[in-house]
Amino acid sequence: MEKEAGPDAAATRLDDPWYDAPPPGWGEPDGAAGFAPRTGPETVRHPHSAADVYVEVQRSAAFREVRRRYRRFVVPASAAFLLWYLAYVVAATTAPGLMARPVVGALNVAMLAGLGQFLTTFVLTWAYVRHARLHRDRAALELRWDTQEMTRGIGR
């Protein structure tokens, strides 16, 4: 677990639902399973087909929340970066005198703005990964586990 996982990290399930689980008691000594199946009110009903499962998950409040968190970061970040890039291109084509102005030695405004484009790309990538880790990954993984549990019995 990463230190950024937070206080509820101990409650995070560690099994991976994308790998088929062996039948209960198979491969474990004395039938002891590593993880207890979900029981109680949080047990998920099994729809008739995999398509029904994915439609049900897509309509769920948890899925909509993950998508909302994604859009709240990606849309403004993409718009800001696109505006920054277009400002650079427009300045380079319409104001060559400004872009050719020396800043330090042989370094001019255009060179600094171009390097700023690279720096912005790396900073934006870091911010996206951090945002995903802190605000979406855990909820998306829970959706993945729920989806896998719902589709586990289909087709057998």
Side-chain angles (χ1 to χ4, degrees):
M1 279 302 142
E2 294 184 34
K3 65 180 179 179
E4 293 89 3
D8 57 341
T12 303
R13 294 173 43 191
L14 299 176
D15 57 338
D16 190 343
W18 292 108
Y19 293 101
D20 285 336
W26 187 78
E28 292 95 17
D30 299 329
F35 296 96
R38 290 185 178 187
T39 58
E42 63 185 75
T43 302
V44 184
R45 69 175 185 81
H46 293 286
H48 299 291
S49 71
D52 293 338
V53 169
Y54 291 106
V55 168
E56 182 177 330
V57 169
Q58 185 178 11
R59 291 178 179 159
S60 71
F63 182 81
R64 285 194 307 268
E65 178 63 19
V66 170
R67 295 297 298 165
R68 184 188 67 80
R69 289 177 182 178
Y70 172 77
R71 282 191 303 270
R72 282 188 67 196
F73 179 83
V74 169
V75 170
S78 297
F81 186 78
L82 184 61
L83 285 173
W84 161 229
Y85 175 73
L86 289 175
Y88 173 74
V89 171
V90 168
T93 57
T94 61
L98 170 69
M99 298 301 268
R101 183 172 295 159
V103 176
V104 176
L107 221 62
N108 60 16
V109 173
M111 187 79 84
L112 286 179
L115 292 173
Q117 290 285 318
F118 284 103
L119 180 64
T120 304
T121 302
F122 292 120
V123 168
L124 190 58
T125 301
W126 169 81
Y128 175 81
V129 170
R130 183 177 185 277
H131 182 270
R133 184 184 70 236
L134 295 177
H135 299 286
R136 293 191 323 266
D137 284 354
R138 191 168 291 136
L141 190 57
E142 282 298 321
L143 276 171
R144 184 172 132 182
W145 282 323
D146 291 344
T147 304
Q148 180 65 23
E149 287 176 9
M150 290 167 70
T151 58
R152 186 159 282 160
I154 295 175
R156 289 183 187 178

